[in-house]
Amino acid sequence: MKKLIILSIIILLVITGKAQLINNNLNIYVGYSLVQPLGNSMFHEGDFITPALFPNFKDAKTISAKVLAAYNPTFSVGIGFNYLDEHNWSFQDYTDYLNSTIRQYSLSPTVQYHTRFKESGIFNHLRFYAEFAPSIQLAQFNTSSTLFVIEDKNGSILPPKHSNDLFFGIKGSGGIEAPLNQYVGIMLSYSFMQSYGSSKLYNDKKYTISQLEMGLYFKFKKIKRLSY
Amino acid sequence: MRKARWIIILLILFVSCKKQQEYDYPLIFTGQVTNITSSGVTFSAKITDLSKYKVTDYGFVWDENPNPTIETSEKYIISDPPKIGVFSANITTTLRSGVLYYVRAFVRNSDYITYGKQVSFKSLGSMAPKVADFKPKTGNLKDTVMIIGHNFSFKPTNNTVKFGDFQATVVKAKLDTLWVLVPDKLNIQNAQVSVSIIGNIAIATDRYNLIAPVVTTFNDKIGSFGSQITITGKYFDANKASLQVYFDKYPAQIVSSNATSIVAIVPDSLNKRICNINVRMNNLIIPSVEQFSLAPITFTNITPKVAITGSTIVLTGNNFSPVAFNNIVTIGGLDATVIKASPNRIEVTLPLQNRGYYSSRNASVNVNVLGDSKDYNGTLLINDQWFRLKNSPLSVIPGSQYSYGYALANCFIANNKAYIGLNNKAEFWEYDPTNDSWKKLTDFPGIPRWYGSGFVINNKIYYGTGFGNNHDLKDWWEYNISTNTWTAKNDFAGEKRTGAVAFQIENIGYLGTGFVWSGYGTSDGYIDFWKYSSTDDSWTKITNYPTINNYFGTWWGISVPFNGSAYIGLGNYTISGDYMQRMYRYTPSGNTWEQIANFPLAGVNNQSLGFNLNNNLYIRTSYSKDFYYYDAGANRWIKVTTGILTDVNNGIAFAYNGKAYVGLGRENAMWEYDPSR
């Protein structure tokens, strides 16, 4: 509730601000997301059914950073970096991935389509956008569960408990940017990402998340040109 | 464009910095169990890594106990080549309804085995096995048979395979094939083949046939122990390891064999004269149609021809049994102990006379080998000094069947015979030693009694006194041998008494000593002595029996007439001392008593036995086993080793015609003593 009130005040400030804002060509974004893993709790592949890893994490958050440069008045391109942290796996009475975590690092070239900047009016203070970002992710899996029992001639040996796996995904977002002044603004977006990959230590071949991101952006390379 | 180039370079670096790890061991996940029905279940798994090394096998293991392993649990091995990805198996066997099972997928290479996480499930059951076929259908014990079907267990011990009622060893198992060994105890020619898994049984349509031998004939039909017989037939070489030949049930040594003939040796142990020859192979016993006969025995000689009991003699002949106890040798009616035997010689030990009596000193010898009996054409002379005669026909004293049932008989010698009986019964017998025969005489009409006394005068027996009807007696009787009749006579003139001694010398009878039994323990024994005249049936007192202080008398003593006098003594006294060893000679002409050397044995010397044999006095007391004879010249007693093997305590003894006769007592045995042998 508190967050909603703060957000509302900021939007009001932005809307009711009377100063004319200057356009710029480079924005740097930092953001924090609440992540919701999506998908079936059980993994199915033919007759093989087993509890899934990714959809059953109960806690997931990301921190992101992004750089976008204006390509033309409506398109910007850039690159984004994401850090995803998932833990607290649980599903019914299954113990397969108890005490497991995923830390994921992703790199996403990004294309943003946004509203054109206006010298005055609402589009001087607000920008609406949609983004498309393919990504490459490095997923670090760690667990203290015993996934396998491995024996050699002398007896049991320790099974593997962590892995680093590559995933490839697509992220689509929609959001709103609102400058607070000539130098910084706030942004709010909702995105949906689906990634594909594989691991030797778990069976999931894809994972899907939705995330609600809030953040700040910093404006660089302003266009200081009088128009009359 | 420049910006895009930098983005691509960053992406390539990002991708190349991390590769998936490689492992020495394969990795596998166990999936949840699905399709759980009364017909079985579906197991599934996923291999995520095959490892650096070649995978040797993979599949599932399950058990009722947690953490099943490939070594101990039921298993299913996938036949397809291993690859990364999912696989599954429908399990329709070895699952019992209502049971909680644990399953793990596994994958193995040369160095490691990896099990996926354990998954549990409750089974609703599984299908019964099915037997489609088996081969071969004919064979021998311990052959390997392959059974083809469905729903077998991979674990050999979970498949119970039976041929008939006999369980076979499963040496290898797959889901659709079993390899088993025909049980070595199988003993029926056509056996049902069944497979049972957790109580579900499948039976093959066909039956398994054991190869059986065929016996056509054999030669020779008559043979001896140790001779070779050739058996003709078929299939003798099908299972040589189990081939056996029996004559009846006795195994024969096989000299040689091939598919159609067997040469075997007639076994020494054969104990039937006529029998079938049985060929056994694969536990199947096939008898010959014809019968085999042992050759008849011949019995030609015995060595030596004069022997004593307990010694060994040798019988010679042919076709005796080499097994000692299959030859029964009877000598004079008694079974001899066979010590050693061979087909033409038998060694036997003559039975001792405590086992029974020989029919005669000139004993017949018979050999019976498995029903073929032959007598020796001659006799064996048994040359023991002490020879047991046939048993007396006297009946047992009433109430004494288990102790001295024939004791305390009276014995009188007259008319070249012995007259025996009257021991608490009326029974009276005549014994003829010349032909060892017995004749029943007229019963004694008087009161049956113990310890009566008597003597013989002129072919008549005079008898009386004793203890009968709980009284001491003094009645007196005459038995006429010629007429076999009893007549009552005048009572004895002295006091009633029991256990007196009595004897005759030159047709005069003498009776004295004894005691009153009614007051046993209070009487000291009588010392008076009397002589009897049969002519006028009267008694005259003579000199008292010599005693201590002219007072203490004796009873149960012994008296033996001896060449015009008599030896009297021993017996029982109420006072201690050597009195019970004392012996006296009474001479009627002087009416005198002369003491001779004491009998060598001390103690109560009552109810002794004695006889005059060839002018030698022989005496034996109740408790000595041997007789002693009296050397009158040296006035001493000399022990004679006595070969009596029955208990003759309280028996009878007499001499006749150069031999002595001793008998009765505990048994009704009789013995002859011939010192000339």
Side-chain angles (χ1 to χ4, degrees):
Chain A
M1 189 61 189
K2 204 187 278 183
K3 287 180 187 170
L4 191 61
I5 294 167
I6 292 169
L7 192 61
S8 304
I9 292 168
I10 290 168
I11 291 169
L12 265 173
L13 280 172
V14 169
I15 292 172
T16 56
K18 296 291 186 193
Q20 182 190 36
L21 294 169
I22 301 171
N23 197 8
N24 67 301
N25 283 329
L26 184 74
N27 287 335
I28 295 176
Y29 300 81
V30 292
Y32 172 84
S33 308
L34 296 173
V35 177
Q36 176 61 52
L38 301 173
N40 203 327
S41 291
M42 291 294 278
F43 175 82
H44 290 249
E45 187 175 345
D47 289 326
F48 181 69
I49 301 173
T50 195
L53 173 66
F54 291 108
N56 293 313
F57 281 110
K58 299 298 181 275
D59 291 311
K61 302 170 186 55
T62 68
I63 297 171
S64 62
K66 186 168 64 179
V67 173
L68 287 176
Y71 181 73
N72 65 28
T74 55
F75 279 96
S76 296
V77 295
I79 189 158
F81 174 79
N82 224 51
Y83 169 73
L84 170 66
D85 178 14
E86 293 181 291
H87 55 275
N88 191 15
W89 188 95
S90 77
F91 177 54
Q92 294 179 353
D93 293 333
Y94 294 98
T95 61
D96 297 57
Y97 296 109
L98 277 181
N99 304 314
S100 298
T101 61
I102 288 281
R103 291 204 173 98
Q104 194 185 74
Y105 306 88
S106 63
L107 210 58
S108 313
T110 307
V111 175
Q112 186 187 75
Y113 174 75
H114 51 80
T115 54
R116 189 186 287 266
F117 177 77
K118 295 282 191 215
E119 301 293 334
S120 63
I122 190 166
F123 288 111
N124 183 262
H125 292 280
L126 290 176
R127 183 199 275 190
F128 297 92
Y129 66 87
E131 283 182 358
F132 170 78
S135 69
I136 295 174
Q137 298 133 35
L138 178 68
Q140 287 184 335
F141 169 75
N142 283 284
T143 184
S144 59
S145 285
T146 301
L147 300 175
F148 314 100
V149 172
I150 304 174
E151 294 170 359
D152 65 7
K153 294 179 189 53
N154 300 318
S156 294
I157 63 171
L158 282 175
K161 296 223 180 212
H162 57 265
S163 69
N164 295 312
D165 303 296
L166 269 183
F167 281 75
F168 298 90
I170 294 279
K171 180 177 172 182
S173 313
I176 183 171
E177 294 172 10
L180 293 172
N181 54 40
Q182 303 291 0
Y183 303 101
V184 67
I186 58 172
M187 60 93 166
L188 181 70
S189 73
Y190 177 80
S191 55
F192 183 85
M193 183 164 76
Q194 187 151 297
S195 305
Y196 297 87
S198 66
S199 174
K200 294 181 180 179
L201 300 193
Y202 47 87
N203 296 291
D204 302 48
K205 289 183 180 175
K206 70 174 184 185
Y207 77 91
T208 308
I209 55 172
S210 67
Q211 51 188 103
L212 182 67
E213 186 176 11
M214 287 183 304
L216 297 172
Y217 67 95
F218 302 92
K219 298 161 66 173
F220 298 93
K221 286 206 168 180
K222 295 184 183 59
I223 302 169
K224 292 178 181 170
R225 197 173 49 182
L226 287 172
S227 55
Y228 56 94
Chain B
M1 192 55 197
R2 197 187 288 177
K3 288 174 193 167
R5 195 191 316 154
W6 277 111
I7 290 169
I8 290 166
I9 289 169
L10 269 173
L11 285 172
I12 289 169
L13 282 173
F14 193 72
V15 168
S16 64
C17 74
K18 288 291 176 200
K19 273 192 213 173
Q20 279 196 324
Q21 186 171 348
E22 289 184 341
Y23 299 101
D24 290 342
Y25 36 78
L27 297 175
I28 191 167
F29 287 86
T30 311
Q32 297 300 302
V33 178
T34 59
N35 299 328
I36 301 176
T37 67
S38 58
S39 298
V41 299
T42 300
F43 294 151
S44 62
K46 182 176 177 184
I47 296 175
T48 56
D49 195 334
L50 289 172
S51 80
K52 298 179 198 172
Y53 308 112
K54 189 178 173 194
V55 167
T56 53
D57 49 18
Y58 68 106
F60 301 93
V61 290
W62 66 97
D63 208 310
E64 294 177 34
N65 299 311
N67 302 318
T69 64
I70 199 166
E71 290 84 14
T72 60
S73 305
E74 194 59 64
K75 58 180 180 277
Y76 182 97
I77 295 177
I78 308 290
S79 54
D80 296 331
K83 60 179 184 190
I84 299 229
V86 167
F87 65 92
S88 63
N90 292 319
I91 304 300
T92 56
T93 182
T94 74
L95 296 171
R96 291 188 288 137
S97 178
V99 174
L100 183 69
Y101 285 91
Y102 302 88
V103 59
R104 299 199 287 188
F106 76 91
V107 58
R108 180 161 60 172
N109 64 18
S110 56
D111 293 327
Y112 297 92
I113 181 166
T114 301
Y115 295 98
K117 224 167 156 64
Q118 174 175 277
V119 173
S120 64
F121 67 98
K122 200 161 208 177
S123 166
L124 295 178
S126 56
M127 293 165 67
K130 282 193 176 62
V131 177
D133 198 7
F134 66 88
K135 51 189 176 187
K137 293 205 171 36
T138 301
N140 299 300
L141 303 175
K142 298 192 201 172
D143 279 357
T144 300
V145 171
M146 186 169 77
I147 302 174
I148 300 157
H150 304 286
N151 301 328
F152 299 148
S153 167
F154 258 104
K155 202 170 167 188
T157 53
N158 280 354
N159 302 285
T160 302
V161 178
K162 285 190 176 178
F163 287 68
D165 293 331
F166 299 93
Q167 189 160 339
T169 303
V170 180
V171 293
K172 197 170 148 192
K174 282 166 54 174
L175 199 62
D176 55 5
T177 313
L178 298 173
W179 289 264
V180 304
L181 299 178
V182 177
D184 61 2
K185 287 191 169 48
L186 180 61
N187 61 2
I188 52 176
Q189 197 165 1
N190 297 295
Q192 175 182 280
V193 178
S194 66
V195 177
S196 166
I197 299 170
I198 53 163
N200 296 318
I201 299 178
I203 298 174
T205 308
D206 298 325
R207 288 188 167 231
Y208 183 79
N209 295 307
L210 272 178
I211 299 173
V214 172
V215 180
T216 312
T217 188
F218 65 88
N219 288 305
D220 294 315
K221 302 287 187 294
I222 298 176
S224 310
F225 293 101
S227 62
Q228 290 190 356
I229 305 294
T230 302
I231 304 161
T232 310
K234 286 197 283 191
Y235 309 130
F236 296 149
D237 63 342
N239 186 357
K240 267 195 168 180
S242 76
L243 185 67
Q244 292 170 302
V245 172
Y246 294 84
F247 282 68
D248 189 50
K249 58 184 181 190
Y250 298 93
Q253 181 190 341
I254 296 177
V255 174
S256 64
S257 69
N258 57 36
T260 56
S261 79
I262 306 171
V263 176
I265 296 175
V266 179
D268 289 353
S269 56
L270 177 59
N271 76 348
K272 263 188 171 177
R273 186 144 289 279
I274 298 175
C275 65
N276 287 98
I277 296 179
N278 299 311
V279 176
R280 178 180 164 151
M281 190 178 74
N282 286 329
N283 289 339
L284 302 172
I285 299 175
I286 306 299
S288 61
V289 174
E290 301 144 314
Q291 291 200 304
F292 170 81
S293 299
L294 283 171
I297 65 170
T298 58
F299 182 13
T300 53
N301 199 15
I302 58 173
T303 313
K305 291 187 178 46
V306 179
I308 59 171
T309 59
S311 67
T312 301
I313 64 169
V314 174
L315 287 60
T316 47
N318 288 302
N319 300 323
F320 298 147
S321 170
V323 173
F325 59 75
N326 283 341
N327 303 284
I328 299 173
V329 176
T330 310
I331 300 175
L334 294 181
D335 288 340
T337 304
V338 177
I339 305 166
K340 229 195 272 189
S342 68
N344 46 34
R345 180 189 157 93
I346 301 174
E347 277 183 37
V348 301
T349 303
L350 267 66
L352 295 176
Q353 295 176 94
N354 55 351
R355 290 170 46 190
Y357 58 88
Y358 289 87
S359 55
S360 166
R361 276 189 185 272
N362 293 302
S364 61
V365 182
N366 174 274
V367 173
N368 184 317
V369 181
L370 304 178
D372 186 8
S373 175
K374 294 284 188 307
D375 290 320
Y376 172 61
N377 187 17
T379 57
L380 170 72
L381 175 61
I382 297 175
N383 211 30
D384 296 55
Q385 283 190 329
W386 287 94
F387 182 74
R388 185 170 169 178
L389 304 167
K390 66 168 173 274
N391 290 343
S392 82
L394 266 69
S395 60
V396 172
I397 300 168
S400 63
Q401 285 88 338
Y402 299 107
S403 60
Y404 285 83
Y406 302 91
L408 304 172
N410 290 99
C411 178
F412 308 100
I413 307 300
N415 199 28
N416 297 324
K417 296 184 180 63
Y419 293 84
I420 300 167
L422 308 176
N423 46 344
N424 203 34
K425 21 187 184 52
E427 197 178 72
F428 200 44
W429 292 82
E430 175 189 90
Y431 173 68
D432 186 351
T434 52
N435 56 15
D436 190 25
S437 63
W438 295 79
K439 183 168 94 175
K440 184 94 175 20
L441 304 174
T442 304
D443 283 350
F444 175 61
I447 297 168
R449 66 200 62 196
W450 298 107
Y451 307 112
S453 304
F455 38 73
V456 177
I457 301 173
N458 290 331
N459 225 33
K460 292 186 175 99
I461 296 169
Y462 293 89
Y463 175 74
T465 65
F467 189 82
N469 250 0
N470 288 319
H471 294 288
D472 299 282
L473 301 165
K474 57 186 285 182
D475 59 339
W476 197 244
W477 298 82
E478 174 192 88
Y479 174 75
N480 189 323
I481 293 171
S482 308
T483 61
N484 191 24
T485 53
W486 289 90
T487 308
K489 293 301 197 179
N490 287 330
D491 284 355
F492 170 62
E495 296 294 326
K496 297 176 186 177
R497 62 192 64 200
T498 296
V501 297
F503 54 90
Q504 70 279 349
I505 303 173
E506 293 170 0
N507 292 326
I508 302 286
Y510 296 86
L511 188 148
T513 68
F515 75 121
V516 174
W517 203 355
S518 305
Y520 181 69
T522 61
S523 167
D524 294 316
Y526 288 111
I527 61 172
D528 57 334
F529 235 90
W530 300 77
K531 68 177 179 183
Y532 176 75
S533 166
S534 62
T535 312
D536 54 12
D537 189 20
S538 64
W539 293 89
T540 307
K541 198 166 182 305
I542 61 174
T543 311
N544 286 345
Y545 181 73
T547 64
I548 304 89
N549 301 329
N550 212 29
Y551 177 70
F552 293 101
T554 183
W555 62 93
W556 294 340
I558 190 171
S559 60
V560 180
F562 197 97
N563 297 341
S565 57
Y567 287 96
I568 301 103
L570 309 179
N572 200 356
Y573 283 81
T574 54
I575 51 172
S576 59
D578 68 347
Y579 309 107
M580 288 175 271
Q581 291 171 259
R582 290 191 181 182
M583 286 293 295
Y584 298 92
R585 180 168 51 232
Y586 175 73
T587 308
S589 58
N591 193 20
T592 53
W593 296 90
E594 177 197 348
Q595 187 172 2
I596 63 172
N598 278 358
F599 191 76
L601 296 182
V604 178
N605 284 322
N606 54 11
Q607 291 138 31
S608 305
L609 306 177
F611 50 82
N612 171 4
L613 176 64
N614 301 327
N615 286 325
N616 287 307
L617 172 66
Y618 290 81
I619 288 180
R620 191 203 107 136
T621 63
S622 293
Y623 303 104
S624 68
K625 296 296 177 200
D626 296 311
F627 276 90
Y628 287 77
Y629 89 86
Y630 178 63
D631 180 351
N635 190 28
R636 63 181 180 136
W637 295 90
I638 298 166
K639 187 173 170 183
V640 176
T641 301
T642 306
I644 296 177
L645 300 179
T646 59
D647 187 346
V648 294
N649 286 352
N650 304 324
I652 57 161
F654 64 92
Y656 168 73
N657 198 25
K659 296 176 191 168
Y661 298 83
V662 179
L664 306 181
R666 186 184 280 275
E667 302 171 45
N668 58 349
M670 292 290 292
W671 293 84
E672 174 193 273
Y673 174 57
D674 185 349
S676 66
R677 293 183 185 272

